[in-house]
Amino acid sequence: MTNIKLPNNATNSIRGVIYQFYIALDYCFALCKGERIYVERFGDIAISADSQIEIKNYSSTLTDTHENLWKTLKNWLEKDFDPLLYKHLILLTTQYFGSKSTLFGWNDLDANGKLKTLQRIQESYQKRTKKDKTIDELITTVLSKDNRSRLNDVLSKFTITTEYPNGEEFYERLKEIHGKGVLVENRGRYIDSLMGFIISPKMADQTGWEISYDEFTAQVSAYTDLYRAKTITFPSHAKPSVDSTQYNTHLFVQKINAIQLYNEIPYAITDYVRAQETIVHELKKHAVPESSYKAYEENLLEIHNQEYRKAKRQCTDNVINSSQSFYDTMMNKEVQQFHSFNDTPLYFRNGVIHSIADDDTRDLKWSLSDE
């Protein structure tokens, strides 16, 4: 491929969105019981009844008349925004104050002191011979008398956080600060997994993303368990007590009946039920993604099909005996590792095979007959 960059390339915009979710992830770790984080629903990031955060990932300096400052203030003065809902209003930026900025010491001022600072900036700006129309309109709107009461409410809660780490630096910071509970070599996967969780469609609707303390805490616990050890012990699940007659009509049972291995049916049913219960009740605690199940099933189906073709070529005139031998061989083959578990049990592998056989959209069968 050539290195031609299209004029409408959205790389920087996408990086900005990713950076926003990095910040959201960082704040998720600071959630208290009952709190929720909202992304894009009430601004860049909002924490219920606590903070509203506007995020700016810029390389330029934050000067007195920078659009990021005045546009943020204007957004908070809109009629559909209620500053009284929050304890803190934060402008979080990768920028640093310009050398001539009058914003140094901003966070130490009270609302009146911040207002006077803004008014001095306006007075100085009005003396310029060349003005930017957009900035001029922003400053005029923010400091208009009509907005004065709301502006005082905003300024009393408004702080500026500058020189925040950029995307790559912040990603490393996330790993170092929040990845202490897992192995060093797994910290990237740990953060990536949590990012995948908070950005996933199930956390969003048409108005934005919403992550609760309870949901996030559960994921942290699951991924910490997953990535804190080099090898992960497969979760134990007691052998269930099964009424085999309930499964006589299942397709996977009929396929075993077809090769007359009647004595094997109770074992197959037990493995099937045990594997299903393990998936539902145990493996979800380890936050095993659905893609891992699908990949495991596809791998087992591919192995079966390869062995089936081989067995069919070697089939004797006694198809039933050959089919039974093929079944026994497959049920006793070396167990393929599932996900990150180091000791995937035989019952689980066989139970998954039977679940594939139970799916009429997949061609997994035991009979070597041409019928």
Side-chain angles (χ1 to χ4, degrees), residues 172-265:
E172 294 302 317
R173 171 177 165 169
L174 286 171
K175 291 196 296 183
E176 291 179 9
I177 294 177
H178 301 302
K180 293 184 176 69
V182 302
L183 291 174
V184 173
E185 59 266 33
N186 287 339
R187 288 178 180 176
R189 289 189 287 271
Y190 174 70
I191 294 301
D192 293 345
S193 296
L194 289 173
M195 274 287 286
F197 163 70
I198 69 171
I199 207 170
S200 64
K202 66 180 180 181
M203 293 292 104
D205 58 25
Q206 293 181 344
T207 64
W209 286 258
E210 178 180 339
I211 306 104
S212 72
Y213 167 88
D214 289 335
E215 290 168 327
F216 184 73
T217 299
Q219 292 298 310
V220 168
S221 176
Y223 284 124
T224 298
D225 285 344
L226 184 61
Y227 293 121
R228 68 184 173 187
K230 289 184 181 294
T231 56
I232 305 171
T233 301
F234 198 92
S236 61
H237 189 75
K239 189 174 182 179
S241 176
V242 180
D243 179 4
S244 298
T245 59
Q246 295 182 12
Y247 296 87
N248 286 339
T249 60
H250 274 55
L251 185 58
F252 80 94
V253 173
Q254 294 174 21
K255 290 178 178 179
I256 300 173
N257 267 322
I259 61 173
Q260 301 176 21
L261 268 179
Y262 309 119
N263 292 337
E264 291 297 320
I265 289 176

Side-chain angles (χ1 to χ4, degrees), residues 90-274:
I90 303 168
L91 170 59
L92 189 154
T93 179
T94 55
Q95 299 168 279
Y96 55 90
F97 287 132
S99 58
K100 298 180 181 180
S101 176
T102 60
L103 298 172
F104 287 106
W106 173 270
N107 296 342
D108 297 326
L109 300 174
D110 60 14
N112 188 52
K114 291 173 183 175
L115 176 60
K116 289 181 178 180
T117 298
L118 296 179
Q119 289 173 331
R120 285 195 296 269
I121 292 173
Q122 183 184 38
E123 291 172 5
S124 175
Y125 188 72
Q126 293 304 320
K127 295 176 183 179
R128 296 185 184 183
T129 55
K130 293 184 178 180
K131 301 182 184 68
D132 182 282
K133 182 179 178 181
T134 300
I135 298 300
D136 194 31
E137 290 177 352
L138 283 171
I139 293 175
T140 300
T141 300
V142 168
L143 292 175
S144 67
K145 291 183 178 179
D146 292 341
N147 282 328
R148 187 57 50 83
S149 177
R150 288 175 63 81
L151 180 59
N152 284 332
D153 290 335
V154 168
L155 293 178
S156 67
K157 303 175 180 186
F158 177 32
T159 58
I160 303 174
T161 300
T162 59
E163 301 182 55
Y164 223 65
N166 62 29
E168 293 181 5
E169 184 182 350
F170 195 74
Y171 178 72
E172 294 302 317
R173 171 177 165 169
L174 286 171
K175 291 196 296 183
E176 291 179 9
I177 294 177
H178 301 302
K180 293 184 176 69
V182 302
L183 291 174
V184 173
E185 59 266 33
N186 287 339
R187 288 178 180 176
R189 289 189 287 271
Y190 174 70
I191 294 301
D192 293 345
S193 296
L194 289 173
M195 274 287 286
F197 163 70
I198 69 171
I199 207 170
S200 64
K202 66 180 180 181
M203 293 292 104
D205 58 25
Q206 293 181 344
T207 64
W209 286 258
E210 178 180 339
I211 306 104
S212 72
Y213 167 88
D214 289 335
E215 290 168 327
F216 184 73
T217 299
Q219 292 298 310
V220 168
S221 176
Y223 284 124
T224 298
D225 285 344
L226 184 61
Y227 293 121
R228 68 184 173 187
K230 289 184 181 294
T231 56
I232 305 171
T233 301
F234 198 92
S236 61
H237 189 75
K239 189 174 182 179
S241 176
V242 180
D243 179 4
S244 298
T245 59
Q246 295 182 12
Y247 296 87
N248 286 339
T249 60
H250 274 55
L251 185 58
F252 80 94
V253 173
Q254 294 174 21
K255 290 178 178 179
I256 300 173
N257 267 322
I259 61 173
Q260 301 176 21
L261 268 179
Y262 309 119
N263 292 337
E264 291 297 320
I265 289 176
Y267 301 107
I269 291 174
T270 298
D271 287 347
Y272 171 84
V273 173
R274 194 177 182 188

Side-chain angles (χ1 to χ4, degrees), residues 308-320:
Y308 183 85
R309 291 191 294 270
K310 178 181 177 182
K312 196 169 179 63
R313 289 194 300 268
Q314 299 173 347
C315 182
T316 65
D317 292 337
N318 193 328
V319 175
I320 292 296

Side-chain angles (χ1 to χ4, degrees), residues 50-79:
D50 187 89
S51 303
Q52 210 278 332
I53 305 122
E54 289 298 304
I55 299 166
K56 308 297 179 185
N57 186 13
Y58 279 67
S59 57
S60 61
T61 58
L62 184 63
T63 60
D64 289 352
T65 58
H66 199 286
E67 183 180 34
N68 286 345
L69 170 66
W70 294 95
K71 192 172 183 179
T72 297
L73 284 169
K74 181 179 180 295
N75 289 342
W76 285 335
L77 293 173
E78 296 292 342
K79 292 182 179 179

